[in-house]
Amino acid sequence: EPEVTQTPSHQVTQMGQEVILRCVPISNHLYFYWYRQILGQKVEFLVSFYNNEISEKSEIFDDQFSVERPDGSNFTLKIRSTKLEDSAMYFCARADIGETQYFGPGTRLLVL
Amino acid sequence: GQSLEQPSEVTAVEGAIVQINCTYQTSGFYGLSWYQQHDGGAPTFLSYNGLDGLEETGRFSSFLSRSDSYGYLLLQELQMKDSASYFCAVVRNAGNMLTFGGGTRLMVKP
């Protein structure tokens, strides 16, 4: 059973379009994270979210990216104007304590 | 900068023991985690070492030496289903982020 669910499982979009990726935790957790993995490469940290605030972000997480938890449940990652190089698998992760992070099944994003 | 080094590929036979090493150089080190990832799947948490020493979870064990900036994952009694990529990941900044290594592709042969 996944620790979190993610929707959609696949998304195809045109360059320059906005996309919203969603993460739904199974139960209440304190810590949420977004990671991405370009095909064949390692997993890269994007952002961590604790107590409804960004606690850490990487250099990848520029102004094109934003996160929020709009309804106190879903955790979303928005990419405002997608680029070809945003094509990747995006993973949401959750943790009760930061050391042990559990990943969702991912959303495969393809930017054309 | 941050760097984690692990072998790119390892091959072993069913029933054998394999050790995957990981050396790291990073700021804000908090601990070392290991994840398994099958092709097309999500990373699955295997183990975490916050202190020096060995942690054992079934067939898998993980070791950390903070003074040597080194850790390893030990897989015993290898099974075909263990064929996957294994990533070491440094837990940084009190758990606020994971920095992953490049991954080790393990192939288990009959």
Side-chain angles (χ1 to χ4, degrees):
Chain A
E1 186 178 349
E3 301 292 337
V4 294
T5 60
Q6 291 185 241
T7 59
S9 58
H10 295 78
Q11 172 118 29
V12 180
T13 189
Q14 296 292 322
M15 192 170 55
Q17 295 296 305
E18 174 184 284
V19 295
I20 297 177
L21 310 182
R22 290 183 171 81
C23 173
V24 183
I26 303 298
S27 55
N28 285 332
H29 303 294
L30 292 177
Y31 298 88
F32 295 94
Y33 311 81
W34 283 102
Y35 293 84
R36 78 172 186 190
Q37 187 176 31
I38 295 170
L39 187 64
Q41 297 187 22
K42 65 181 179 181
V43 178
E44 298 175 292
F45 170 77
L46 293 176
V47 65
S48 59
F49 198 77
Y50 170 71
N51 203 25
N52 293 325
E53 289 184 354
I54 290 176
S55 50
E56 194 87 44
K57 59 183 180 179
S58 72
E59 59 276 7
I60 301 170
F61 194 86
D62 60 21
D63 292 343
Q64 293 299 313
F65 292 88
S66 62
V67 289
E68 60 178 10
R69 202 173 179 197
D71 56 5
S73 176
N74 290 355
F75 178 49
T76 63
L77 174 70
K78 183 190 292 186
I79 309 175
R80 289 193 182 83
S81 179
T82 50
K83 309 184 197 64
L84 295 177
E85 54 265 36
D86 292 328
S87 295
M89 195 77 163
Y90 288 80
F91 294 106
C92 170
R94 68 86 176 162
D96 295 319
I97 54 175
E99 300 90 18
T100 308
Q101 298 183 21
Y102 297 94
F103 285 67
T107 293
R108 186 173 295 282
L109 176 65
L110 178 60
V111 182
L112 302 176
Chain B
Q2 321 296 328
S3 72
L4 286 89
E5 298 292 330
Q6 52 181 128
S8 57
E9 278 188 15
V10 172
T11 302
V13 296
E14 239 180 330
I17 299 172
V18 72
Q19 178 172 316
I20 299 173
N21 297 322
C22 174
T23 58
Y24 58 86
Q25 189 171 15
T26 183
S27 60
F29 181 86
Y30 199 74
L32 189 69
S33 289
W34 288 91
Y35 285 81
Q36 179 193 61
Q37 187 178 34
H38 287 97
D39 286 346
T44 303
F45 174 80
L46 291 177
S47 70
Y48 170 74
N49 293 73
L51 302 173
D52 283 2
L54 194 67
E55 292 284 338
E56 296 179 78
T57 310
R59 295 188 295 115
F60 296 171
S61 304
S62 59
F63 172 83
L64 174 66
S65 168
R66 296 170 78 107
S67 59
D68 295 322
S69 297
Y70 163 76
Y72 67 71
L73 178 70
L74 191 73
L75 298 88
Q76 303 182 72
E77 300 172 22
L78 282 174
Q79 302 174 9
M80 297 297 291
K81 68 178 182 179
D82 296 330
S83 293
S85 291
Y86 292 84
F87 293 87
C88 60
V90 168
V91 180
R92 297 174 57 209
N93 298 352
N96 275 323
M97 60 190 299
L98 293 174
T99 297
F100 281 77
T104 299
R105 192 167 189 87
L106 171 65
M107 291 175 49
V108 180
K109 297 187 171 180

